[in-house]
Amino acid sequence: MTAIMPPTAVVAGHAQHSAALGALRLESGEVLDEVTLAYDTYGTLAPGGDNAVLVEHALTGDSHAHEWWPGLIGPGLPLDTDRFFVVCANVLGGCSGSTGPTSLAPDGSPFGDRFPHITIRDTVAAELCLADRLGIDRWYAVLGGSMGGARALETALMAPERVARTGVVAAPAHSEADQIAWGHIQLQAIRADPVAGLGIARQIAHLTYRADAELNHRFGARQQATSAPAEHVGERYYSIQSYLDHQAAKLQRRFDAGSYAVLTQALMDHDVRRGRSQDLRTALAGAGGEFLVAAVSSDRLYTPEHVRQLAEALPGDVPCRMIPSWAGPDGFLTEVEQIGALFREFLAE
């Protein structure tokens, strides 16, 4: 999903950290000898460690949750740092301080395309190790949207005794052919040319992150008023082309193509039924704690119906809450007031 990153706001009690967690055996059987996770914290951990909330970022996000979810974390806000100790870790496989393809392999050179295949469950296993390091036996809540929602869901399944509440926004129980197909095309672009391909992959992805009605309203068939780049001289250069080129360039400046490929594949492979049961209710039967499940009304990547299937299959009576928005899947980032209201209600004692 698109990372919404306004100018950094100062949040009381905010600090950035890095934790060396040692070796991690992956689902594939491979072992990463040294795993490091970068993470941000907000607020103070209670003596009993029972006020910790884990926030999970989306595919191209990072640990700076106050930047991409502005207005949610801080004193008196839905994730109230006078009450909660909020943690957000950069995902395993990422490129913002955590172990990933840009990290050094045992031979002293970057892993690059030698970085092993990882799964959503591997990323959760690393975060459980981080919780151990922080002295957090049980999360008061684990919250996330899109890929972050998939990670939150797997946390409740892998370690049900360690999660009291799980919030899943704009994420399903498993990927379907449509999502896998979009991911496949992006991976093909990166494999053909990692540099240019990352930008192309971002443009492809961005069309799934925003709803068609929003794009049509914002851009229509208008042509770009400013000077076109050299490669477009003599051609019509539409505003939507300029927008997509801008999104591609932004990601190319801050993200690694290898990390994008590793995490895209992990999300394509997301399926809570794998190794549990092909019956979704049975696969989810072991999930622990309370659940908040929410869909974005205009989401064309993880449709409301797909998210509703998750809610209906979870233990207990879990409604699928709807977030009205014409922004598409990125509504979980842009509809901050609605998300905040849902979280405030969900986290109330």
Side-chain angles (χ1 to χ4, degrees), residues 4 13 17 20 33 61 120 134 136 165 208 210 264 271 277 313 332:
I4 308 297
H17 314 267
D33 292 329
I120 294 296
L134 294 174
I136 299 168
R165 297 163 184 81
T208 71
R210 313 299 290 210
T264 295
D271 190 342
S277 171
F332 90 89

Side-chain angles (χ1 to χ4, degrees), residues 156-199:
L157 285 163
M158 291 173 61
E161 74 288 352
R162 302 193 66 174
V163 185
R165 297 163 184 81
T166 302
V168 179
V169 183
H174 55 84
S175 294
E176 290 276 20
D178 187 60
Q179 294 110 29
I180 295 169
W182 284 112
H184 168 72
I185 298 169
Q186 294 172 59
L187 290 180
Q188 292 291 88
I190 289 173
R191 287 165 182 159
D193 184 331
V195 177
L198 176 61

Side-chain angles (χ1 to χ4, degrees), residues 72 78 321 336-346:
L72 291 184
R321 308 290 291 272
V336 175
E337 286 191 13
Q338 294 188 63
I339 295 291
L342 288 175
F343 285 173
R344 196 182 293 276
E345 174 189 338
F346 186 54

